[in-house]
Amino acid sequence: MQLAVIANLQDRATGTFTGDKWGETDTRFLYGAFNALSLLGLLHLVDVNKAVQHVRACANFDGGFGTSPGAESHAGQIFTCVGALAIAGRLDLVDRDKLGGWLSDRQLPNGGLNGRPEKKEDVCYSWWVVSSLAMIDRVHWIDSARLMKFILQCQVCIGELPPQPPFTSDNCRTPTWEASQTVLTML
């Protein structure tokens, strides 16, 4: 079966997935595989428990998750790890308050969000942070009105969004803003 190609990317010893022909592994590939396989009804083709163990090994003392065990916590990686755990039905393994605290600390005085401490805000983190907070029922821990104001300040005339105001737009960030706006207005 051609669809088994995704399942064959799993390293059965570690539970993680490779993402390229050179064998690079990190939680982005694990999440992508879980997402695709679950949508296709084929999650049974992989060792879910082993993958969950790998995600748990990527958890950090601060409540966040990194690309691999011992790697720095990052909002994008938190999304992939929490998303994978959600798909596996294992959100019980997440310390929701500790992770919620780390994620809500990403909000800066201007309302924007950064992906890790001491970094600038970027509109793309509105998706990574807000969707992760939604999965653990902690969106109310950030100031949604300030975030929406920040996002709208980033908008340029054609609807695209740059990382921060007043930079040139980046159409790759627009879908992340639209998705986060949807989550914020649904709650």
Side-chain angles (χ1 to χ4, degrees), residues 77-156:
Q77 299 304 325
I78 289 169
F79 168 81
T80 64
C81 290
V82 174
L85 292 173
I87 291 168
R90 296 306 315 267
L91 284 176
D92 60 298
L93 300 174
V94 176
D95 183 335
R96 293 172 188 234
D97 288 342
K98 194 171 192 177
L99 178 57
W102 191 93
L103 288 165
S104 62
D105 282 347
R106 305 287 51 84
Q107 190 160 40
L108 300 175
N110 66 358
L113 299 162
N114 63 19
R116 53 197 168 120
E118 305 302 321
K119 295 296 183 180
K120 291 183 69 88
E121 67 281 356
D122 186 317
V123 75
C124 73
Y125 293 116
S126 62
W127 168 251
W128 306 120
V129 172
V130 170
S131 60
S132 297
L133 286 168
M135 286 187 273
I136 61 169
D137 301 315
R138 300 294 186 276
V139 172
H140 61 282
W141 285 20
I142 60 167
D143 187 333
S144 298
R146 280 188 339 167
L147 176 57
M148 289 299 289
K149 183 177 177 184
F150 169 78
I151 291 169
L152 293 173
Q153 287 173 337
C154 293
Q155 191 171 5
V156 293

Side-chain angles (χ1 to χ4, degrees), residues 1 7 17 31 39 58 66 89 121 159 166:
M1 173 188 285
F17 289 76
Y31 168 75
L39 289 171
C58 296
E121 67 281 356

